[in-house]
Every structure is written in structure tokens, then in C-alpha cells.
């Protein structure tokens, strides 16, 4: 595999691609503040006439994610579309209810952050906080900065033993928090499987979220598209599987990583470019 080309900024390949699929956490911001140069770089892409689609493994729907970006200082209109795994999942659940595959009134145990309920807002599901009557588990986020694995094991063990179906709408195994990296909802999904349950994961690197993003972008030629992210497992592997170019930004979960050759080889996913940060130059 050809070694990735290291660049100082996205301006070096901006003319080469027409459509930019951008991750948010670890690329544009850390959840608390925008990374230096990121606001300006996104705006510069739009001024250059590029189509910008934000593609995120966020269990929240698109609208609350977009509100957060505005609060962090990103300019209104500096992206064209926002595709979150939570949005994709919400539409899947809506179709399942419509087809009868998911019964209206199904009791759902929702695991999210900050009391967020956008993952099921408008769906005819009944929230439950009890494990003994849950008929569906929805892993939208992790609170790994508040709880340990023992908490989730105690909560989910009896549900997994009953083989209650579980959907994970944030497959990331690591999340950035105010107190540093912590285990993400993807790790809780792995735990659920170890406890005997089964999990359907929705989000990167699964092809469905890329297909949704490319559909919104008007089905461009794959050679004119680049996926930019901070996770080799999700962004680079997913982007390559979708047939588009990839750029790895080492400002998020890999900020303190050294040589990544071993990781690229292990996952069979080599980026076309690497960047220290998402900035124009």
C-alpha cells in the first residue's frame, strides 16, 4: 500500500475534490471548543464552491448537532448537509414502525448523554428505565466519564440474557470528554454482546451512512469525494469501503499516537493523506 502523504492543511488538496465528507468530533471540535483553524477551514471550503457534508457517529439527530456547531462558532451555511448515525437510525425506526416490523408502544431503554431524547423524538416508542420490561435497547451515547463498565454490566446483563434486540447508533469505541478520552457507546455495544445479547450497529464504518451522505450530495463520482476523519477504524476504513479518498486528522483520538503504520496494517485501512490538524494550511 502506498504510504499516506502528509500535508500541512486541507488547502493542499482542496482543488482535487468537489465533495468533502467531514467528521466532527476530533476533527472540527472536541465537544467543548472548536479546534484552532477549523472554523476558518470549513468556511473556506464553502467559499471555494465545495459541497460539505458533515458525517458523524453521533446518536443524536442532525438538528441538535448543528445547533452545537453554531454555539462553537462555526458559521451558518458553512456546510450543506449534516448526516448523523442518530438521524439515519431515526429514519430506519420510523420505516420499521410504518411497516409493522417495530410495534408502536414498544418499551425502549434509551442510553444517551445529557438527557438527550432526540434519538426517539416523534417515534411511537415508550421510554422505560427498567431492565426487566425493556423490549428494545437503544445505545445512543456513553456516559463513560460518569459510570464504569460495572454500571452498564449490571444494567444490561438481565436484558441481554433475555435476548432483547439492541441498536447502537454511535459505534465509536472512544469518545472525547472534558476529563479526557473515555469508552464510547461502541464499547458498551461490545459489552452487550459479551453478556449474550445481539447488536445492530448504525454508523461509520457501515456503508449505509455513506450512502445517505452521497445521496444528499447528488451521487457524485466517487473519485471527486474525500472523507476526512480522526478514526482509522471508522473514518478511514469506512471511507475506503465506500470507494472514496480519505484523510486522517491526528487531532482527536490519535492526538498522542506515534507511528500509525501498525494500526493501518492491522485494520487494512491506509489513508491517502494525513494531517496534524484540520486547517486550511
Amino acid at each position: 500500500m502506498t504510504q499516506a502523504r502528509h500535508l500541512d492543511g486541507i488547502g493542499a488538496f482542496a482543488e482535487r475534490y468537489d465533495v468533502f465528507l467531514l467528521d466532527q468530533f476530533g476533527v472540527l471540535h472536541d465537544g467543548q471548543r472548536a479546534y484552532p483553524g477549523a472554523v476558518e477551514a470549513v468556511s473556506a471550503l464553502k467559499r471555494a464552491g465545495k459541497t460539505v457534508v458533515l458525517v458523524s457517529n453521533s446518536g443524536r439527530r442532525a438538528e441538535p448537532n448543528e445547533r452545537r456547531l453554531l454555539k462553537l462558532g462555526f458559521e451558518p451555511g458553512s456546510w450543506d448537509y449534516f448526516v448523523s448515525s442518530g438521524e439515519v437510525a431515526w429514519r430506519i425506526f420510523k420505516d420499521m414502525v410504518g411497516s409493522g416490523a417495530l410495534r408502536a408502544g414498544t418499551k425502549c431503554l434509551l442510553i444517551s448523554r445529557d438527557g438527550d431524547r432526540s434519538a426517539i423524538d416523534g417515534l411511537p416508542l415508550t421510554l422505560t428505565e427498567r431492565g426487566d420490561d425493556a423490549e428494545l435497547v437503544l445505545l445512543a451515547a456513553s456516559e463513560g466519564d460518569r459510570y464504569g463498565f460495572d454500571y452498564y454490566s449490571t444494567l444490561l446483563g438481565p436484558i441481554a440474557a433475555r435476548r432483547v434486540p439492541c441498536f447502537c447508533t454511535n459505534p465509536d469505541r472512544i469518545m472525547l470528554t472534558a476529563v479526557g478520552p473515555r469508552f464510547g457507546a461502541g464499547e458498551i455495544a461490545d459489552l452487550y454482546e459479551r453478556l449474550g445479547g445481539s447488536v445492530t450497529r448504525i454508523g461509520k464504518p457501515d456503508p449505509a451512512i455513506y450512502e445517505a451522505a452521497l445521496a444528499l450530495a447528488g451521487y457524485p463520482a466517487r473519485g471527486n469525494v474525500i472523507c476526512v476523519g480522526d478514526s482509522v477504524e471508522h473514518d478511514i476504513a469506512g471511507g475506503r469501503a465506500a470507494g472514496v479518498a480519505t484523510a486522517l486528522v491526528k487531532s482527536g483520538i490519535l492526538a498522542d499516537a506515534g507511528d500509525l503504520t501498525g494500526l493501518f496494517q492491522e485494520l487494512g485501512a491506509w489513508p491517502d493523506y494525513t494531517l496534524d490538524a484540520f486547517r486550511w494550511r
Side-chain angles (χ1 to χ4, degrees), residues 92-274:
I92 290 174
F93 293 145
K94 183 180 180 183
D95 290 343
M96 289 175 65
V97 171
S99 69
L102 184 62
R103 176 179 55 82
T106 295
K107 294 180 180 179
C108 175
L109 175 67
L110 173 63
I111 296 177
S112 62
R113 287 182 68 82
D114 306 320
D116 178 64
R117 296 291 183 268
S118 65
I120 63 168
D121 281 347
L123 296 175
L125 302 177
T126 301
L127 279 179
T128 180
E129 296 183 358
R130 296 164 45 193
D132 59 350
D133 69 348
E135 301 171 293
L136 174 71
V137 178
L138 178 53
L139 298 176
S142 164
E143 290 187 294
D145 49 343
R146 296 182 59 196
Y147 304 113
F149 271 111
D150 288 347
Y151 167 81
Y152 288 109
S153 182
T154 299
L155 173 65
L156 296 173
I159 311 174
R162 291 193 292 111
R163 302 295 194 272
V164 172
C166 174
F167 289 81
C168 178
T169 59
N170 187 340
D172 289 354
R173 290 187 168 85
I174 302 174
M175 66 173 179
L176 301 175
T177 76
V179 294
R182 293 293 186 269
F183 63 86
E187 287 284 359
I188 302 175
D190 292 347
L191 171 66
Y192 195 79
E193 290 177 326
R194 292 196 298 272
L195 292 170
S198 62
V199 179
T200 299
R201 291 169 175 80
I202 300 173
K204 298 178 289 185
D206 187 79
I209 194 168
Y210 293 96
E211 292 302 322
L214 293 170
L216 288 171
Y219 296 105
R222 301 295 170 106
N224 294 333
V225 181
I226 186 167
C227 171
V228 183
D230 72 320
S231 168
V232 179
E233 178 182 5
H234 298 101
D235 301 299
I236 305 307
R240 291 189 62 83
V244 303
T246 60
L248 179 70
V249 181
K250 297 190 287 184
S251 59
I253 61 174
L254 298 175
D256 298 321
D259 183 20
L260 296 174
T261 302
L263 181 60
F264 297 155
Q265 291 175 335
E266 176 187 348
L267 296 175
W270 292 75
D272 296 284
Y273 309 96
T274 59

